[in-house]
Amino acid sequence: LAMMAIIVMFFQDGLTGSAWGDWANYTDSPLRAFEGELGVQPPVGFWDPLGLSSDGDVAVFKRRREVELKHGRISMFAAMGYITPEYFKFPGELSPKLGLKFADIPNGLAAISKVPGQGWAQIVAFLGTYELFINKPVGDEPGNYGKGNLGLGFLGPVKDPEARKKKLSAELANGRLAMMA
């Protein structure tokens, strides 16, 4: 991790021309086009070491943000799915035909080989159906599916703009962390 940080510092040094990457000195950058976007958070600020958004294309940036949010949400669920079975397992049988109980399924990656193929097919079919037919974007905001607070429609949307921005920023930061976990 320390080596990665040093490499990033060298990259910033070459980008901005100052010893610690003084962003204020580099005013001609197309990277500044997205400096005010949600997810630009201290201490890093806008971080695009590969220059993927260097062309300033807003549509491509929104698509990448949508994908970042989706992968972050999936990663947060995966992190919870890795932790939760340590403390709770459903009672009953996962596959009555095979005599396989939920309690028989090990935690972590070992569960992949224990769940029957038909079970995985059901999971993929359910998620595919949800993604293709139910989860439709609302408006022009990346990652907004009109589900409201916590993704639960009955809670309604967050009405206060400042609280909404704070919650969306937290979602992005937590999703980024979960993707690294």
Side-chain angles (χ1 to χ4, degrees):
L1 194 58
M3 290 174 61
M4 184 65 173
I6 291 169
I7 291 170
V8 169
M9 284 186 350
F10 286 141
F11 180 81
Q12 278 189 331
D13 185 46
L15 178 68
T16 63
S18 67
W20 291 100
D22 188 3
W23 189 236
N25 293 338
Y26 198 67
T27 57
D28 298 336
S29 174
L31 298 177
R32 286 197 176 266
F34 306 113
E35 199 172 52
E37 289 291 324
L38 188 69
V40 178
Q41 301 171 2
V44 178
F46 184 75
W47 193 63
D48 184 15
L50 298 178
L52 296 175
S53 59
S54 61
D55 60 357
D57 188 344
V58 175
V60 172
F61 177 80
K62 285 186 177 186
R63 172 69 181 134
R64 287 196 177 114
R65 177 54 51 90
E66 174 101 22
V67 170
E68 178 186 19
L69 280 165
K70 190 174 287 190
H71 284 98
R73 290 169 180 166
I74 291 168
S75 297
M76 286 187 280
F77 276 121
M80 288 303 302
Y82 203 85
I83 295 167
T84 303
E86 293 287 336
Y87 302 101
F88 172 79
K89 291 195 181 193
F90 287 108
E93 293 184 304
L94 174 66
S95 176
K97 180 179 175 183
L98 298 174
L100 187 62
K101 297 180 182 203
F102 284 107
D104 298 337
I105 302 296
N107 298 338
L109 297 176
I112 293 173
S113 64
K114 301 298 181 198
V115 175
Q118 292 169 334
W120 287 115
Q122 288 175 350
I123 292 169
V124 169
F126 172 77
L127 294 176
T129 300
Y130 187 81
E131 182 69 25
L132 293 173
F133 301 111
I134 298 170
N135 213 25
K136 298 292 181 190
V138 174
D140 194 34
E141 182 183 18
N144 185 359
Y145 295 100
K147 305 283 193 258
N149 199 3
L150 295 176
L152 303 171
F154 62 86
L155 292 177
V158 179
K159 293 188 176 26
D160 179 28
E162 202 55 41
R164 178 171 163 64
K165 183 178 179 184
K166 183 177 179 181
K167 288 182 182 206
L168 290 173
S169 294
E171 179 187 24
L172 269 169
N174 292 334
R176 290 170 180 166
L177 179 63
M179 284 187 276
M180 297 303 291

